[in-house]
Amino acid sequence: MAGWNEAAVRRALRLYFIAGSVNCSSPLDVLRAAIEGGATMFQYREKGAGALEGKAKLALGMQLRDCCREAGIPFIVNDDIELAIALDADGIHVGQEDAPAGDIRRLVGAGRIVGVSAHTVEEARQAIADGADYLGIGPIFPTSSKDDARAVQGTRLLEELRNAGIALPLVAIGGLTADNAAIAIRSGADGVSVISAVAAAPSPRLAVRQLLAAVASALQGR
Ligand code: TPS
């Protein structure tokens, strides 16, 4: 199994696209376009009203996984440990409401990426102690893509974590677009994670390109 060291994870977080069948009518087409645009990582998140279950969830996951494999970008499964293992995913992302990160790390072993959503410095420290490879920090701005999203927190936590000396790869999420991505990067994020800015864009390929350009120039100026 591929080894994902910290530098590789940090690079992959630059433009982390998340989607499932609830976010767009053809996730596979949108993923292909996002990869053409330069997406560096993908999370299969099959959640919300009308989300696929069982065999249909697995079947779409296989297609999306194969697409990521072909492109050489990490394929991450949201929340569902059984699915992550069934799909031989490169990793899994869990929130604070999901299984504890320590349990997830024990179940998936050292070879897979474990990502954890954190909303406070305490949650971040716990996730790191539990063996997280990266943290998802947000929502930075208001989001309509997550029903149970926490309160908007701006860039405060990103700054707090970096000021506290936490060096783990961090990805910003929540309402991010090409117009505001630079703020998150300047505040300490290694990249941005998006659903709607790409999944609902007229051209997902162009949306990714514009996001990447914003991230790259903000990283340079840091
Ligand atoms: C890496 N999460 C927080 S806000 C949000 C999601 C799915 C919606 C963003 O949509 N960090 C990572 N993965 C996750 N699944 C979460 C956090 C949870 P939009 O870009 O449309 O605002």
Side-chain angles (χ1 to χ4, degrees):
M1 195 183 298
W4 300 98
N5 63 30
E6 187 175 287
V9 171
R10 200 181 299 281
R11 271 197 307 275
L13 290 178
R14 198 172 269 224
L15 198 298
Y16 185 3
F17 177 46
I18 302 178
S21 68
V22 174
N23 309 115
C24 45
S25 53
S26 176
L28 187 59
D29 288 337
V30 175
L31 175 59
R32 285 200 185 108
I35 286 172
E36 273 176 39
T40 51
M41 178 142 138
F42 175 71
Q43 180 187 126
Y44 178 36
R45 179 173 180 272
E46 196 54 34
K47 264 197 182 155
L52 302 177
E53 290 173 26
K55 280 188 181 151
K57 184 179 181 184
L58 179 69
L60 176 58
M62 288 169 72
Q63 293 183 306
L64 297 169
R65 175 204 60 198
D66 290 348
C67 187
C68 290
R69 286 256 162 97
E70 225 168 273
I73 67 167
F75 171 79
I76 309 295
V77 168
N78 180 276
D79 185 15
D80 188 335
I81 178 88
E82 280 176 21
L83 184 68
I85 289 169
L87 289 173
D88 190 24
D90 297 304
I92 179 161
H93 185 93
V94 289
Q96 295 293 322
E97 295 79 16
D98 305 330
D103 294 355
I104 296 287
R105 170 57 75 203
R106 277 187 289 280
L107 286 166
V108 301
R112 282 186 237 258
I113 299 167
V114 174
V116 179
S117 299
H119 316 87
T120 64
V121 175
E122 294 66 41
E123 286 179 1
R125 289 195 193 284
Q126 184 62 52
I128 295 166
D130 285 344
D133 293 302
Y134 75 86
L135 304 178
I137 304 297
I140 309 292
F141 300 113
T143 176
S144 51
S145 306
K146 184 170 162 65
D147 300 336
D148 56 348
R150 302 287 185 93
V152 169
Q153 53 167 289
T155 54
R156 182 188 44 80
L157 181 57
L158 283 169
E159 284 153 11
E160 269 178 34
L161 294 173
R162 292 311 189 201
N163 289 338
I166 289 173
L168 200 78
L170 303 179
V171 69
I173 187 166
L176 291 166
T177 66
D179 292 332
N180 62 22
I183 303 168
I185 301 300
R186 284 199 296 265
S187 303
D190 295 295
V192 295
S193 189
V194 301
I195 298 179
S196 52
V198 171
S203 167
R205 186 184 55 81
L206 192 62
V208 168
R209 276 200 194 290
Q210 290 170 340
L211 275 156
L212 265 177
V215 169
S217 81
L219 281 171
Q220 279 213 317
R222 202 160 75 175

